[in-house]
Amino acid sequence: MGKNVNVLVIGGGGREHALCWKIRQSGMVDTLYCAPGNGGIEGEAICLPLDSADHGVVADFCREKDIGLVVVGPEAPLVNGLVDDLEKQGIKAFGPSAGAAQLEGSKGYTKDICAKYSIPTAAYKRCYSLDEANAYIEATGAPIVIKADGLAAGKGVIIAETKEQARAANADIFGGRFGEAGNSVVIEEMLVGEEASYLALIDGKNIVPLATSQDHKRAYDNDQGPNTGGMGAYSPAPVMTKAMCNQVMEEIIQPAVAAMDAEGYSYKGVLYAGLMITDSGPQLIEFNCRFGDPECQVILFRLESDLVPAMLAVIDGTLDKIKFKWSPGVAMAVVMAAKGYPASYQKGTVIRGLRAAGKPDDVFIFHAGTARKDGEILATGGRVLNVTALGKTVTEARDRAYGAIEKIDWPEGFCRSDIGWRAIERENG
Ligand code: AMP
Ligand code: GLY
């Protein structure tokens, strides 16, 4: 094993709490920093308010603290080229370059890559004006899916059941609801099937898949309500059989890695494929250029190997040397969000009972949007806590997670009560 490193994690959500929790367990890490971090991450890392949009400030900090690895959690700094700018200064950073991160930064770009390199995905058209978008809907009919092209925090996708809803979505996006991210749209065919998340580490060439997972995008039980960043996840996803994983690797991941190389944007980091498993096979819904949130929490909860050497191998192009060992159990994360999320919600409410709810061996509460103030934990975001549990079965993981939630005293919060329902139905035959 190489020499020890100081690590800086960029971000402050549940994903970054999980990353810090895991990195902290590494035998290779001296000091761990996180910017900005949150009330939970403070238990794992030294948190500081660095402005990650100012790449010079981040680079100066890295030099001052002798940082040997920067891990960029969220998509925005990746799309804005933080990794490129750190690398130019000789600082090792985990995550794709801005060019490669276009796979998340522009949905239209990704669709064009899929078309050019025969990656299975829904039929689509990019539209650059409201008239063009409405004309396309007139021609295709509904149901149909409308997507703002750029980054919209998971909220820029509208599944329109009727032409009217589709026209309203077009008007909303071209009316500026998502700012520049809505300067163009992707309109695509609605896919039917079961969703799954397939993530892999990539060093430009070598690919190491991570454990499979499934997210729950809708805000309310029975997959009702608006789309969110994700209300809960579990790993593994039973729909991702070994044969299905192989098919996804051959038809989607490998071609995408080769495609980005051919386009001159060699992909390094974690590539997240959001999939729809349809009757005719896996279809790509979207790529993300970072760990999923809350998928990261359940994946890392099951990872028994050290993550830090793998992240360094991604940067150094030596991922062929890395093999991961996974817990055979099931991990589940239930998101507790502030009432009102994903629309407006109250901030600054007090959360109690967290200490009693966590259990050292099988339940851990990752913080997604909290701050500590005067000895109390305050909710500061929409998604606030990720109650994560490990069990031998999905049912056991679910019972442990919801058992912990009962001990949490936060009247202003809510969670879905049916995370894992598909897998539990399967388990119960
Ligand atoms: P995205 O941000 O592209 O992952 O879309 C958010 C969510 O919208 C996905 O997780 C799906 O639940 C849904 N979605 C996106 N595209 C489609 C599609 N073509 N067909 C059906 N559902 C979709
Ligand atoms: N959980 C979905 C995402 O991270 O995009």
Side-chain angles (χ1 to χ4, degrees), residues 66-105:
D66 191 23
I67 300 291
L69 171 66
V70 179
V71 178
V72 183
E75 58 277 18
L78 293 166
V79 170
N80 291 335
L82 178 57
V83 168
D84 311 57
D85 286 341
L86 292 176
E87 272 185 351
K88 270 184 218 142
Q89 307 219 26
I91 299 160
K92 286 192 180 190
F94 176 88
S97 64
Q102 289 179 89
L103 282 182
E104 177 162 4

Side-chain angles (χ1 to χ4, degrees), residues 108 111-113 115 121-126 136 186-189:
K111 297 297 281 191
D112 290 349
I113 290 282
T121 189
Y124 75 105
K125 182 169 168 40
R126 298 178 79 168
Y136 186 64
V186 168
I187 303 185
E188 67 180 37
E189 161 204 9

